[in-house]
Amino acid sequence: MKRTIEYTLLIIGAVFSLIGIVFAFVIKFVSKTPEFKSEFKTSFNEEIQGTQDIPSSLSADQVLNSFAGFTNYALVILVISILLTIVAIIFVKKQRILSGVLAIVAGLVSILIMNFISFLLLIVAGIMLLVRKNKTNKTNNQFEDVNFQNDLNNNQNNFESNDNNRNNFESNEKQVNNLDETDKKKKDDDPYIY
């Protein structure tokens, strides 16, 4: 069965995860540059002095460190999601159930970083893989039925031929026994046969 829709959904979900990986790498690289750090610190300090919403105990370095930690977390999650999606794509034709489960797990993993597009695509593809059964070819079923009927007929013919062979053997045995009895009777009647 062609599973073009499932392949398409899985590939698009993998592409969105790949875009997320590229985006996370770019953010990680930009956040480590000295220009970005100095600009972020000045704007962060201005925001703290201007509003009371941000606690004063929070420093710009702590925010940058937590931001770097989040990008590392996002990268790990996206890599796991894309690997599960690739394995699901590989097993679509051979083991649709395994592929569907892997697609659903990849979707659930991608939602951990709010990757909603990949989540929806992978969940839909996984459900389709689990629900849509493989279509069997009617010609294959016809051949299987004919082969089954031929095997059944051959077995029945073999059984009948075995019965016939057994009956022939029994009738031959009776004939031999009858000949033996006839020969014995002749011996008994004829005094010159030893």
Side-chain angles (χ1 to χ4, degrees):
M1 169 181 213
K2 291 183 179 178
R3 296 199 173 267
T4 310
I5 298 170
E6 289 90 338
Y7 275 121
T8 305
L9 291 174
L10 288 170
I11 289 171
I12 293 172
V15 166
F16 275 104
S17 293
L18 187 63
I19 289 170
I21 289 173
V22 170
F23 189 63
F25 268 121
V26 168
I27 289 175
K28 188 173 182 172
F29 177 74
V30 168
S31 66
K32 287 188 176 183
T33 59
E35 296 87 18
F36 177 79
K37 286 182 179 180
S38 64
E39 185 69 33
F40 181 78
K41 285 179 184 179
T42 56
S43 65
F44 185 78
N45 290 333
E46 289 173 3
E47 283 291 323
I48 285 183
Q49 292 170 357
T51 62
Q52 300 297 328
D53 294 339
I54 302 173
S56 60
S57 62
L58 194 62
S59 70
D61 289 330
Q62 289 174 334
V63 172
L64 282 174
N65 287 339
S66 64
F67 190 67
F70 177 75
T71 55
N72 290 337
Y73 168 75
L75 281 172
V76 169
I77 293 296
L78 287 169
V79 167
I80 290 171
S81 175
I82 202 165
L83 288 176
L84 289 171
T85 306
I86 289 170
V87 173
I89 290 170
I90 292 170
F91 285 113
V92 165
K93 286 211 175 200
K94 295 176 185 172
Q95 296 182 353
R96 68 175 177 85
I97 304 283
L98 174 66
S99 182
V101 169
L102 288 174
I104 290 173
V105 170
L108 293 174
V109 167
S110 69
I111 197 67
L112 294 175
I113 57 158
M114 306 305 170
N115 189 356
F116 291 111
I117 297 172
S118 289
F119 168 73
L120 290 175
L121 293 171
L122 294 173
I123 292 293
V124 169
I127 291 172
M128 287 178 71
L129 284 167
L130 291 175
V131 172
R132 288 178 61 198
K133 294 183 180 177
N134 292 337
K135 288 183 182 176
T136 55
N137 198 350
K138 286 187 177 182
T139 56
N140 286 344
N141 284 344
Q142 288 173 350
F143 288 130
E144 288 174 6
D145 290 343
V146 168
N147 287 336
F148 176 74
Q149 189 63 37
N150 287 341
D151 289 343
L152 186 64
N153 289 341
N154 285 339
N155 288 341
Q156 191 173 11
N157 288 340
N158 288 339
F159 182 72
E160 288 173 1
S161 68
N162 285 342
D163 278 348
N164 288 338
N165 288 341
R166 188 177 314 124
N167 290 338
N168 287 340
F169 178 75
E170 288 173 358
S171 66
N172 287 341
E173 191 176 357
K174 285 180 183 177
Q175 287 176 356
V176 168
N177 287 340
N178 285 339
L179 284 175
D180 284 346
E181 287 178 15
T182 308
D183 285 345
K184 190 176 180 184
K185 197 172 189 181
K186 280 183 180 179
K187 272 185 173 180
D188 290 342
D189 291 342
D190 190 10
Y192 296 106
I193 296 179
Y194 298 104

mmCIF file with all atom_site columns, all heavy atoms in Angstrom, residues 69-83:
data_model
loop_
_atom_site.group_PDB
_atom_site.id
_atom_site.type_symbol
_atom_site.label_atom_id
_atom_site.label_alt_id
_atom_site.label_comp_id
_atom_site.label_asym_id
_atom_site.label_entity_id
_atom_site.label_seq_id
_atom_site.pdbx_PDB_ins_code
_atom_site.Cartn_x
_atom_site.Cartn_y
_atom_site.Cartn_z
_atom_site.occupancy
_atom_site.B_iso_or_equiv
_atom_site.pdbx_formal_charge
_atom_site.auth_seq_id
_atom_site.auth_comp_id
_atom_site.auth_asym_id
_atom_site.auth_atom_id
_atom_site.pdbx_PDB_model_num
ATOM 1   N N   . GLY A 1 69 ? 21.095 27.610 28.607 1.00 0.00 ? 69 GLY A N   1
ATOM 2   C CA  . GLY A 1 69 ? 20.636 26.282 29.040 1.00 0.00 ? 69 GLY A CA  1
ATOM 3   C C   . GLY A 1 69 ? 19.387 25.849 28.286 1.00 0.00 ? 69 GLY A C   1
ATOM 4   O O   . GLY A 1 69 ? 19.246 24.681 27.909 1.00 0.00 ? 69 GLY A O   1
ATOM 5   N N   . PHE A 1 70 ? 18.472 26.802 28.046 1.00 0.00 ? 70 PHE A N   1
ATOM 6   C CA  . PHE A 1 70 ? 17.256 26.472 27.298 1.00 0.00 ? 70 PHE A CA  1
ATOM 7   C C   . PHE A 1 70 ? 17.569 26.106 25.854 1.00 0.00 ? 70 PHE A C   1
ATOM 8   O O   . PHE A 1 70 ? 16.978 25.180 25.301 1.00 0.00 ? 70 PHE A O   1
ATOM 9   C CB  . PHE A 1 70 ? 16.258 27.634 27.331 1.00 0.00 ? 70 PHE A CB  1
ATOM 10  C CG  . PHE A 1 70 ? 15.032 27.355 26.527 1.00 0.00 ? 70 PHE A CG  1
ATOM 11  C CD1 . PHE A 1 70 ? 14.059 26.485 27.004 1.00 0.00 ? 70 PHE A CD1 1
ATOM 12  C CD2 . PHE A 1 70 ? 14.851 27.931 25.282 1.00 0.00 ? 70 PHE A CD2 1
ATOM 13  C CE1 . PHE A 1 70 ? 12.929 26.202 26.254 1.00 0.00 ? 70 PHE A CE1 1
ATOM 14  C CE2 . PHE A 1 70 ? 13.732 27.651 24.529 1.00 0.00 ? 70 PHE A CE2 1
ATOM 15  C CZ  . PHE A 1 70 ? 12.764 26.786 25.019 1.00 0.00 ? 70 PHE A CZ  1
ATOM 16  N N   . THR A 1 71 ? 18.521 26.804 25.221 1.00 0.00 ? 71 THR A N   1
ATOM 17  C CA  . THR A 1 71 ? 18.872 26.449 23.837 1.00 0.00 ? 71 THR A CA  1
ATOM 18  C C   . THR A 1 71 ? 19.511 25.060 23.777 1.00 0.00 ? 71 THR A C   1
ATOM 19  O O   . THR A 1 71 ? 19.250 24.308 22.835 1.00 0.00 ? 71 THR A O   1
ATOM 20  C CB  . THR A 1 71 ? 19.812 27.497 23.207 1.00 0.00 ? 71 THR A CB  1
ATOM 21  O OG1 . THR A 1 71 ? 20.957 27.661 24.028 1.00 0.00 ? 71 THR A OG1 1
ATOM 22  C CG2 . THR A 1 71 ? 19.102 28.811 22.988 1.00 0.00 ? 71 THR A CG2 1
ATOM 23  N N   . ASN A 1 72 ? 20.323 24.713 24.784 1.00 0.00 ? 72 ASN A N   1
ATOM 24  C CA  . ASN A 1 72 ? 20.882 23.350 24.823 1.00 0.00 ? 72 ASN A CA  1
ATOM 25  C C   . ASN A 1 72 ? 19.769 22.310 24.980 1.00 0.00 ? 72 ASN A C   1
ATOM 26  O O   . ASN A 1 72 ? 19.774 21.273 24.316 1.00 0.00 ? 72 ASN A O   1
ATOM 27  C CB  . ASN A 1 72 ? 21.895 23.218 25.963 1.00 0.00 ? 72 ASN A CB  1
ATOM 28  C CG  . ASN A 1 72 ? 23.156 23.996 25.707 1.00 0.00 ? 72 ASN A CG  1
ATOM 29  O OD1 . ASN A 1 72 ? 23.489 24.292 24.565 1.00 0.00 ? 72 ASN A OD1 1
ATOM 30  N ND2 . ASN A 1 72 ? 23.852 24.357 26.767 1.00 0.00 ? 72 ASN A ND2 1
ATOM 31  N N   . TYR A 1 73 ? 18.828 22.602 25.862 1.00 0.00 ? 73 TYR A N   1
ATOM 32  C CA  . TYR A 1 73 ? 17.683 21.715 26.075 1.00 0.00 ? 73 TYR A CA  1
ATOM 33  C C   . TYR A 1 73 ? 16.878 21.568 24.781 1.00 0.00 ? 73 TYR A C   1
ATOM 34  O O   . TYR A 1 73 ? 16.490 20.461 24.394 1.00 0.00 ? 73 TYR A O   1
ATOM 35  C CB  . TYR A 1 73 ? 16.819 22.291 27.205 1.00 0.00 ? 73 TYR A CB  1
ATOM 36  C CG  . TYR A 1 73 ? 15.464 21.678 27.365 1.00 0.00 ? 73 TYR A CG  1
ATOM 37  C CD1 . TYR A 1 73 ? 15.307 20.426 27.940 1.00 0.00 ? 73 TYR A CD1 1
ATOM 38  C CD2 . TYR A 1 73 ? 14.322 22.361 26.938 1.00 0.00 ? 73 TYR A CD2 1
ATOM 39  C CE1 . TYR A 1 73 ? 14.051 19.868 28.084 1.00 0.00 ? 73 TYR A CE1 1
ATOM 40  C CE2 . TYR A 1 73 ? 13.069 21.815 27.086 1.00 0.00 ? 73 TYR A CE2 1
ATOM 41  C CZ  . TYR A 1 73 ? 12.928 20.565 27.659 1.00 0.00 ? 73 TYR A CZ  1
ATOM 42  O OH  . TYR A 1 73 ? 11.687 20.007 27.808 1.00 0.00 ? 73 TYR A OH  1
ATOM 43  N N   . ALA A 1 74 ? 16.638 22.677 24.087 1.00 0.00 ? 74 ALA A N   1
ATOM 44  C CA  . ALA A 1 74 ? 15.879 22.651 22.837 1.00 0.00 ? 74 ALA A CA  1
ATOM 45  C C   . ALA A 1 74 ? 16.603 21.833 21.775 1.00 0.00 ? 74 ALA A C   1
ATOM 46  O O   . ALA A 1 74 ? 15.980 21.068 21.030 1.00 0.00 ? 74 ALA A O   1
ATOM 47  C CB  . ALA A 1 74 ? 15.628 24.073 22.344 1.00 0.00 ? 74 ALA A CB  1
ATOM 48  N N   . LEU A 1 75 ? 17.921 21.982 21.715 1.00 0.00 ? 75 LEU A N   1
ATOM 49  C CA  . LEU A 1 75 ? 18.695 21.209 20.739 1.00 0.00 ? 75 LEU A CA  1
ATOM 50  C C   . LEU A 1 75 ? 18.582 19.710 21.001 1.00 0.00 ? 75 LEU A C   1
ATOM 51  O O   . LEU A 1 75 ? 18.386 18.917 20.071 1.00 0.00 ? 75 LEU A O   1
ATOM 52  C CB  . LEU A 1 75 ? 20.163 21.638 20.759 1.00 0.00 ? 75 LEU A CB  1
ATOM 53  C CG  . LEU A 1 75 ? 20.503 22.917 20.016 1.00 0.00 ? 75 LEU A CG  1
ATOM 54  C CD1 . LEU A 1 75 ? 21.939 23.326 20.293 1.00 0.00 ? 75 LEU A CD1 1
ATOM 55  C CD2 . LEU A 1 75 ? 20.287 22.725 18.533 1.00 0.00 ? 75 LEU A CD2 1
ATOM 56  N N   . VAL A 1 76 ? 18.700 19.313 22.248 1.00 0.00 ? 76 VAL A N   1
ATOM 57  C CA  . VAL A 1 76 ? 18.602 17.884 22.588 1.00 0.00 ? 76 VAL A CA  1
ATOM 58  C C   . VAL A 1 76 ? 17.215 17.343 22.236 1.00 0.00 ? 76 VAL A C   1
ATOM 59  O O   . VAL A 1 76 ? 17.083 16.284 21.611 1.00 0.00 ? 76 VAL A O   1
ATOM 60  C CB  . VAL A 1 76 ? 18.927 17.664 24.089 1.00 0.00 ? 76 VAL A CB  1
ATOM 61  C CG1 . VAL A 1 76 ? 18.580 16.254 24.521 1.00 0.00 ? 76 VAL A CG1 1
ATOM 62  C CG2 . VAL A 1 76 ? 20.383 17.956 24.354 1.00 0.00 ? 76 VAL A CG2 1
ATOM 63  N N   . ILE A 1 77 ? 16.183 18.084 22.602 1.00 0.00 ? 77 ILE A N   1
ATOM 64  C CA  . ILE A 1 77 ? 14.813 17.647 22.321 1.00 0.00 ? 77 ILE A CA  1
ATOM 65  C C   . ILE A 1 77 ? 14.569 17.545 20.820 1.00 0.00 ? 77 ILE A C   1
ATOM 66  O O   . ILE A 1 77 ? 13.988 16.568 20.328 1.00 0.00 ? 77 ILE A O   1
ATOM 67  C CB  . ILE A 1 77 ? 13.791 18.619 22.977 1.00 0.00 ? 77 ILE A CB  1
ATOM 68  C CG1 . ILE A 1 77 ? 13.877 18.528 24.492 1.00 0.00 ? 77 ILE A CG1 1
ATOM 69  C CG2 . ILE A 1 77 ? 12.387 18.356 22.499 1.00 0.00 ? 77 ILE A CG2 1
ATOM 70  C CD1 . ILE A 1 77 ? 13.507 17.191 25.061 1.00 0.00 ? 77 ILE A CD1 1
ATOM 71  N N   . LEU A 1 78 ? 15.024 18.542 20.063 1.00 0.00 ? 78 LEU A N   1
ATOM 72  C CA  . LEU A 1 78 ? 14.816 18.530 18.618 1.00 0.00 ? 78 LEU A CA  1
ATOM 73  C C   . LEU A 1 78 ? 15.590 17.401 17.941 1.00 0.00 ? 78 LEU A C   1
ATOM 74  O O   . LEU A 1 78 ? 15.095 16.783 16.994 1.00 0.00 ? 78 LEU A O   1
ATOM 75  C CB  . LEU A 1 78 ? 15.198 19.885 18.020 1.00 0.00 ? 78 LEU A CB  1
ATOM 76  C CG  . LEU A 1 78 ? 14.210 21.012 18.310 1.00 0.00 ? 78 LEU A CG  1
ATOM 77  C CD1 . LEU A 1 78 ? 14.797 22.353 17.922 1.00 0.00 ? 78 LEU A CD1 1
ATOM 78  C CD2 . LEU A 1 78 ? 12.907 20.770 17.585 1.00 0.00 ? 78 LEU A CD2 1
ATOM 79  N N   . VAL A 1 79 ? 16.801 17.122 18.422 1.00 0.00 ? 79 VAL A N   1
ATOM 80  C CA  . VAL A 1 79 ? 17.578 16.017 17.838 1.00 0.00 ? 79 VAL A CA  1
ATOM 81  C C   . VAL A 1 79 ? 16.889 14.684 18.117 1.00 0.00 ? 79 VAL A C   1
ATOM 82  O O   . VAL A 1 79 ? 16.782 13.826 17.225 1.00 0.00 ? 79 VAL A O   1
ATOM 83  C CB  . VAL A 1 79 ? 19.028 16.030 18.379 1.00 0.00 ? 79 VAL A CB  1
ATOM 84  C CG1 . VAL A 1 79 ? 19.748 14.736 18.058 1.00 0.00 ? 79 VAL A CG1 1
ATOM 85  C CG2 . VAL A 1 79 ? 19.783 17.212 17.801 1.00 0.00 ? 79 VAL A CG2 1
ATOM 86  N N   . ILE A 1 80 ? 16.384 14.496 19.324 1.00 0.00 ? 80 ILE A N   1
ATOM 87  C CA  . ILE A 1 80 ? 15.655 13.254 19.643 1.00 0.00 ? 80 ILE A CA  1
ATOM 88  C C   . ILE A 1 80 ? 14.415 13.131 18.763 1.00 0.00 ? 80 ILE A C   1
ATOM 89  O O   . ILE A 1 80 ? 14.135 12.072 18.203 1.00 0.00 ? 80 ILE A O   1
ATOM 90  C CB  . ILE A 1 80 ? 15.278 13.227 21.142 1.00 0.00 ? 80 ILE A CB  1
ATOM 91  C CG1 . ILE A 1 80 ? 16.526 13.049 22.000 1.00 0.00 ? 80 ILE A CG1 1
ATOM 92  C CG2 . ILE A 1 80 ? 14.277 12.104 21.430 1.00 0.00 ? 80 ILE A CG2 1
ATOM 93  C CD1 . ILE A 1 80 ? 16.281 13.218 23.481 1.00 0.00 ? 80 ILE A CD1 1
ATOM 94  N N   . SER A 1 81 ? 13.691 14.234 18.609 1.00 0.00 ? 81 SER A N   1
ATOM 95  C CA  . SER A 1 81 ? 12.478 14.222 17.791 1.00 0.00 ? 81 SER A CA  1
ATOM 96  C C   . SER A 1 81 ? 12.782 13.882 16.335 1.00 0.00 ? 81 SER A C   1
ATOM 97  O O   . SER A 1 81 ? 12.092 13.070 15.725 1.00 0.00 ? 81 SER A O   1
ATOM 98  C CB  . SER A 1 81 ? 11.782 15.580 17.881 1.00 0.00 ? 81 SER A CB  1
ATOM 99  O OG  . SER A 1 81 ? 10.682 15.627 17.005 1.00 0.00 ? 81 SER A OG  1
ATOM 100 N N   . ILE A 1 82 ? 13.830 14.480 15.786 1.00 0.00 ? 82 ILE A N   1
ATOM 101 C CA  . ILE A 1 82 ? 14.143 14.226 14.379 1.00 0.00 ? 82 ILE A CA  1
ATOM 102 C C   . ILE A 1 82 ? 14.666 12.804 14.176 1.00 0.00 ? 82 ILE A C   1
ATOM 103 O O   . ILE A 1 82 ? 14.374 12.166 13.166 1.00 0.00 ? 82 ILE A O   1
ATOM 104 C CB  . ILE A 1 82 ? 15.111 15.290 13.817 1.00 0.00 ? 82 ILE A CB  1
ATOM 105 C CG1 . ILE A 1 82 ? 14.999 15.334 12.291 1.00 0.00 ? 82 ILE A CG1 1
ATOM 106 C CG2 . ILE A 1 82 ? 16.533 15.033 14.213 1.00 0.00 ? 82 ILE A CG2 1
ATOM 107 C CD1 . ILE A 1 82 ? 15.628 16.549 11.681 1.00 0.00 ? 82 ILE A CD1 1
ATOM 108 N N   . LEU A 1 83 ? 15.418 12.275 15.145 1.00 0.00 ? 83 LEU A N   1
ATOM 109 C CA  . LEU A 1 83 ? 15.893 10.888 15.022 1.00 0.00 ? 83 LEU A CA  1
ATOM 110 C C   . LEU A 1 83 ? 14.724 9.901  15.061 1.00 0.00 ? 83 LEU A C   1
ATOM 111 O O   . LEU A 1 83 ? 14.672 8.943  14.271 1.00 0.00 ? 83 LEU A O   1
ATOM 112 C CB  . LEU A 1 83 ? 16.900 10.570 16.125 1.00 0.00 ? 83 LEU A CB  1
ATOM 113 C CG  . LEU A 1 83 ? 18.274 11.219 15.994 1.00 0.00 ? 83 LEU A CG  1
ATOM 114 C CD1 . LEU A 1 83 ? 19.138 10.890 17.199 1.00 0.00 ? 83 LEU A CD1 1
ATOM 115 C CD2 . LEU A 1 83 ? 18.958 10.784 14.710 1.00 0.00 ? 83 LEU A CD2 1
#
